[in-house]
Amino acid sequence: MDEIVSSIGRLNHIAIAVPDLKKSASFWEIALGAKTSNPMPLQEHGVTVVFIESPNSKVELLEPLGKNSPIKKFLEKNPNGGMHHICYEVINLKNASEKLELAGARILGDGKPKIGAHGNPVLFLHPADFAGTLIELEEIRK
Ligand code: CO
């Protein structure tokens, strides 16, 4: 355990699940003066995404896409939307997952990285291990 050191980098994004992407994106624009991207359907992730850039990080608004969307259940429980996950950057996902396993943290799915919304490998960590917060780790390729 002594060898466990921090392996997280900057906060890459906060993802918020919303029932109506256009409505939320336009309110972010009108009320917060935010610059929002066009909606991007990500078929293989079962979501449509709007990116909202801010000087030090970004917010991703997620709307379900297709019948088996991974955020469908979340929106059933939170019909008005809500924070779905936060994403930290890591330099090396393999090192990070070894540390996580040593610490007893659970990696979701088969434990193997998948290619995420930005084309980089990602892992998701069990929310029960992190105060109810789903955490995504994204390996940043420079
Ligand atoms: Co994400």
Side-chain angles (χ1 to χ4, degrees):
M1 291 293 273
D2 316 29
E3 287 174 25
I4 297 176
V5 292
S6 169
S7 56
I8 56 171
R10 66 188 278 278
L11 182 68
N12 183 280
H13 61 270
I14 293 170
I16 299 173
V18 298
D20 184 334
L21 194 56
K22 281 203 179 114
K23 198 175 155 199
S24 290
S26 77
F27 201 69
W28 244 264
E29 279 175 10
I30 294 163
L32 294 172
K35 213 178 142 222
T36 62
S37 76
N38 288 325
M40 286 174 52
L42 302 171
Q43 211 78 48
E44 69 276 27
H45 294 284
V47 290
T48 305
V49 185
V50 163
F51 296 104
I52 302 171
E53 298 284 345
S54 62
N56 65 344
S57 196
K58 56 184 176 284
V59 162
E60 295 179 7
L61 301 179
L62 309 174
E63 182 185 66
L65 176 66
K67 284 198 180 107
N68 300 317
S69 173
I71 63 169
K72 197 174 158 237
K73 262 200 191 137
F74 181 89
L75 276 170
E76 279 165 12
K77 282 187 209 153
N78 305 276
N80 297 320
M83 199 189 79
H84 185 261
H85 66 268
I86 66 174
C87 174
Y88 287 117
E89 297 177 357
V90 298
I91 303 276
N92 185 314
L93 212 43
K94 196 170 171 284
N95 288 351
S97 27
E98 281 164 11
K99 277 178 199 158
L100 284 157
E101 268 166 35
L102 275 174
R106 287 163 286 179
I107 296 167
L108 294 183
D110 61 8
K112 304 236 162 58
K114 303 257 175 334
I115 296 303
H118 313 121
N120 292 328
V122 300
L123 281 178
F124 283 91
L125 310 180
H126 202 299
D129 295 333
F130 295 95
T133 307
L134 178 62
I135 294 184
E136 177 182 16
L137 297 180
E138 177 175 336
E139 187 171 287
I140 296 298
R141 307 228 159 126
K142 306 276 170 188

